[in-house]
Structures are given as structure tokens and as C-alpha cells.
Amino acid sequence: MASLNVYSALVVLFLTCGAAMATKQNDQIIKDNNCETKMGLPCVLETFTSIFETGTISSKCCSEHVGLGKVCHSALVKRTLENPLFKDLSPARIIAKSIQTWNNCLSLIDSPSPSA
């Protein structure tokens, strides 16, 4: 019985340390790449709504979002998912919406604009 408690404690410690390390790693990526300063607040809100709620993202905000870069995009989404306020969200669903938003923005930015 004692070995089961020790094992359980080690598993909890390992999972806790892993989550803390992931958070620190994402925070470091965000800091190193100045991720939080690359987009204006209106586009941050639009992008957030597109990924974490139900909404669309304009071509202007797609341009800013793609300019943010894939590394920042991924680190910000992961850090948001680690926030206790979002614990009830499905990580798999959010990651899928995140990829969809990124790919939609890439295709919107890459497609030629209609001539005036």
C-alpha cells in the first residue's frame, strides 16, 4: 500500500512539473519572439474569438496573424489552454480550430486580391 502512495505521489509530481515546464517553455518562446507586441488589440480579439469561440477573422487581422508567425501562434494558443480559466475547453478542439484559423489566414493572404 505504501508503494502505491509513493507511486501516486511521483506521478502527480511528474505531471505537475511537466505542466510547469511547458508553461515556462511557452512563456519563454513568447518573450524571446516578442509575440505579445506583434498584433494590435482588435486583431488579437478577433483571432482569439476565431479560435476559442465562434467567430471569423478579417483579411486585415489574418495578415497581422500570419505576420505574428507560426511559432508565436502555437505558443500563445498553448499558453492560453494552460490557463485555468480555459480548463473546460477541449484542447483537441481548440488545436483543430487553431490550425484551421492559421491555414485559412495563410490561404487568404496567399490568394491574389481582385483587381479594382
Side-chain angles (χ1 to χ4, degrees):
M1 182 70 172
S3 66
L4 181 59
N5 288 337
V6 170
Y7 177 74
S8 297
L10 287 174
V11 168
V12 169
L13 180 63
F14 175 74
L15 293 175
T16 305
C17 288
M21 286 173 51
T23 299
K24 287 181 182 178
Q25 182 181 22
N26 288 324
D27 286 344
Q28 193 62 47
I29 290 168
I30 291 164
K31 180 182 174 188
D32 289 349
N33 291 285
N34 297 314
C35 297
E36 295 179 318
T37 62
K38 291 183 176 180
M39 287 178 71
L41 184 59
C43 288
V44 168
L45 295 174
E46 216 175 276
T47 303
F48 179 89
T49 302
S50 174
I51 296 170
F52 289 91
E53 295 173 8
T54 303
T56 58
I57 183 168
S58 66
S59 59
K60 175 190 179 297
C61 290
C62 269
S63 183
E64 282 191 35
H65 186 64
V66 170
L68 177 73
K70 182 73 170 171
V71 170
C72 286
H73 165 85
S74 296
L76 289 165
V77 169
K78 289 175 187 174
R79 186 177 72 180
T80 303
L81 283 171
E82 292 164 352
N83 186 319
L85 293 173
F86 301 100
K87 70 180 189 297
D88 294 334
L89 297 178
S90 163
R93 184 173 156 272
I94 296 302
I95 297 295
K97 285 184 75 177
S98 163
I99 292 168
Q100 180 183 21
T101 297
W102 179 261
N103 289 338
N104 287 347
C105 282
L106 279 179
S107 64
L108 187 63
I109 301 306
D110 287 341
S111 64
S113 59
S115 302

